[in-house]
Amino acid sequence: MKKLIECVPNFSEGNDMNIIKQITNEIESVEGVRLIDVDPGKATNRTVVTMVGTPDEVCEAAFRAVKKAAELIDMSKHSGAHPRFGATDVCPLVPVANISMEETVEYAHKLAKRIGEEAGVPVYCYESAARTPERKNLAVCRAGEYEAVKDRIGTEQWKPDFGPAEFTPAVAKSGVTAVGARNFLIAY
């Protein structure tokens, strides 16, 4: 029985289809991952992407997409109607078949560590993957949005779980990302 997870990254670009396509191309470049939906929103300036596949492959596709988004999206120039604090604002993993939430959390932590170390993007773990109780709630992690990152990132309370803990020029561009493990979410 094959293990399946879903990943629903939200990218802080909802208008430039060229940027969105470059990000989704990264996802489609990973064999064993199926890109199910790409939903850009002009007013929110945000695109919600849904992919599904085996855990290692989904995490590889998510990593590539997060890295590409950090290269292409400049958060210092971003505005939109939806709360956000990074080029990839959130990147939740959702257990779909033959995998427990505990296993999904392990994958979320591995993905978060890789994003922090290899892509240089600060990461907060949230929901079931939260490493501290106060970070379980995404709204708490994202309080003040991108504009608050500069002041929060260097504090002991808001030091990222993975990645740089200072507001470098690269972090000013990419912002930060929240990686989580959660159950299905219906947004309306």
Side-chain angles (χ1 to χ4, degrees), residues 53-168:
T54 52
D56 288 325
E57 287 73 16
V58 165
C59 288
E60 177 63 29
F63 172 77
R64 290 183 191 183
V66 169
K67 186 172 185 229
K68 183 56 79 174
E71 293 168 10
L72 298 174
I73 299 169
D74 186 348
M75 288 305 295
S76 70
K77 296 175 172 58
H78 184 273
S79 63
H82 196 288
R84 80 290 181 266
F85 65 172
T88 303
D89 188 55
V90 294
C91 189
L93 301 180
V94 180
V96 174
N98 306 311
I99 187 168
S100 67
M101 181 58 78
E102 291 74 23
E103 289 173 287
T104 305
V105 166
E106 288 177 29
Y107 280 104
H109 288 162
K110 282 193 258 184
L111 175 60
K113 183 175 194 276
R114 187 170 179 211
I115 290 168
E117 291 177 358
E118 293 180 37
V121 175
V123 178
Y124 294 102
C125 294
Y126 77 106
E127 285 278 345
S128 295
R131 295 165 64 103
T132 60
E134 62 272 10
R135 293 189 183 178
K136 189 169 178 69
N137 185 312
L138 176 61
V140 171
C141 293
R142 197 166 49 198
E145 299 185 43
Y146 169 79
E147 290 72 19
V149 171
K150 183 177 184 179
D151 296 326
R152 292 177 89 196
I153 198 167
T155 67
E156 191 55 40
Q157 180 183 5
W158 289 105
K159 180 180 187 245
D161 292 307
F162 298 98
E166 58 184 319
F167 199 70
T168 63

Side-chain angles (χ1 to χ4, degrees), residues 34-69:
R34 181 148 182 218
L35 182 62
I36 294 176
D37 189 49
V38 179
D39 185 19
K42 293 202 181 296
T44 57
N45 198 13
R46 178 185 194 88
T47 297
V48 179
V49 172
T50 306
M51 65 178 111
V52 70
T54 52
D56 288 325
E57 287 73 16
V58 165
C59 288
E60 177 63 29
F63 172 77
R64 290 183 191 183
V66 169
K67 186 172 185 229
K68 183 56 79 174

